[in-house]
Amino acid sequence: QFPAQLQDSNAAIRFLRANAARYAIDPARVGVWGGSAGGHLTALTALTCKDTALDPAAASDGCVQAAVTWYGVFDFAGMNATPDGNSAGSKLLGCTGPCTADQNRLVSPVAYIDAKDPPFLLIHGDEDKVVPAEQSRIGEAALKAAGVPVQSIFIPAVDHSFIGKTPAETRDASLQAINATFDFFHQKLGVTKK
């Protein structure tokens, strides 16, 4: 149950930074990226840096410098209108019955956005039936309102996981997303292309 997965994500970054020399990692240039539940977790990881209420071990953590979410949830209250009635949020929080507004806010990345957050790239299929594209629009609007640099790509005619109506459409959408993701990280993390 939440926030165990956020604590795991923070612990993984903490481990990589502590072992940066061993793995040839630059601990000052860290980006996070995930899709669906991983997109939600990516957003929370990037937005809750040093939040000891959610992770008691986070006080001395370094923050990430860039984040990419693919079709992730930004506001669990907005998921209540989905066909499953936000069963994912209920399972994540362990709610018996519908989760309260406070419970939904606790797990919603939009609740943690402020001006100190890293730049974001949001990518979503505009026909996503699992996590509506509106979730990325909510995240985009909140990030912009806080003055956080954000780029968004809404890929036409694809569902969750960038699944199109044909294998070719799925491939094209997936390549668009992966190329945009690497371009974003190259730009934001100062990585030169070889």
Side-chain angles (χ1 to χ4, degrees):
Q1 284 184 2
F2 184 78
Q5 53 287 111
L6 174 61
Q7 294 167 0
D8 288 346
S9 179
N10 288 340
I13 295 169
R14 201 174 297 130
F15 172 85
L16 290 170
R17 279 193 162 126
N19 291 278
R22 178 178 177 189
Y23 295 110
I25 295 169
D26 181 347
R29 295 189 300 174
V30 177
V32 288
W33 165 22
S36 199
H40 167 252
L41 184 56
T42 291
L44 277 176
T45 301
L47 298 169
T48 62
C49 179
K50 301 183 185 297
D51 187 332
T52 55
L54 295 175
D55 183 356
S60 60
D61 282 355
C63 300
V64 302
Q65 285 68 55
V68 177
T69 68
W70 289 5
Y71 40 84
V73 175
F74 275 85
D75 183 5
F76 271 88
M79 293 294 289
N80 291 329
T82 58
D84 70 357
N86 196 11
S87 66
S90 295
K91 288 176 188 171
L92 179 62
L93 288 163
C95 301
T96 52
C99 295
T100 66
D102 286 344
Q103 288 170 312
N104 281 326
R105 192 169 23 265
L106 181 68
V107 76
S108 294
V110 292
Y112 302 97
I113 293 172
D114 62 38
K116 72 179 182 343
D117 295 325
F120 268 76
L121 171 63
L122 315 177
I123 309 179
H124 217 121
D126 72 359
E127 292 185 11
D128 195 321
K129 295 173 191 68
V130 178
V131 177
E134 181 62 19
Q135 285 292 320
S136 286
R137 289 186 178 93
I138 290 168
E140 177 186 37
L143 289 162
K144 282 182 178 177
V148 177
V150 59
Q151 300 170 34
S152 299
I153 299 170
F154 295 95
I155 303 175
V158 295
D159 197 348
H160 202 63
S161 302
F162 306 131
I163 303 297
K165 292 173 183 60
T166 67
E169 288 177 357
T170 301
R171 179 183 183 279
D172 290 347
S174 298
L175 285 173
Q176 180 183 353
I178 197 86
N179 287 331
T181 297
F182 280 109
D183 287 347
F184 177 81
F185 281 136
H186 288 153
Q187 178 192 29
K188 298 304 178 186
L189 300 177
V191 177
T192 55
K193 295 180 184 180
K194 293 185 179 185

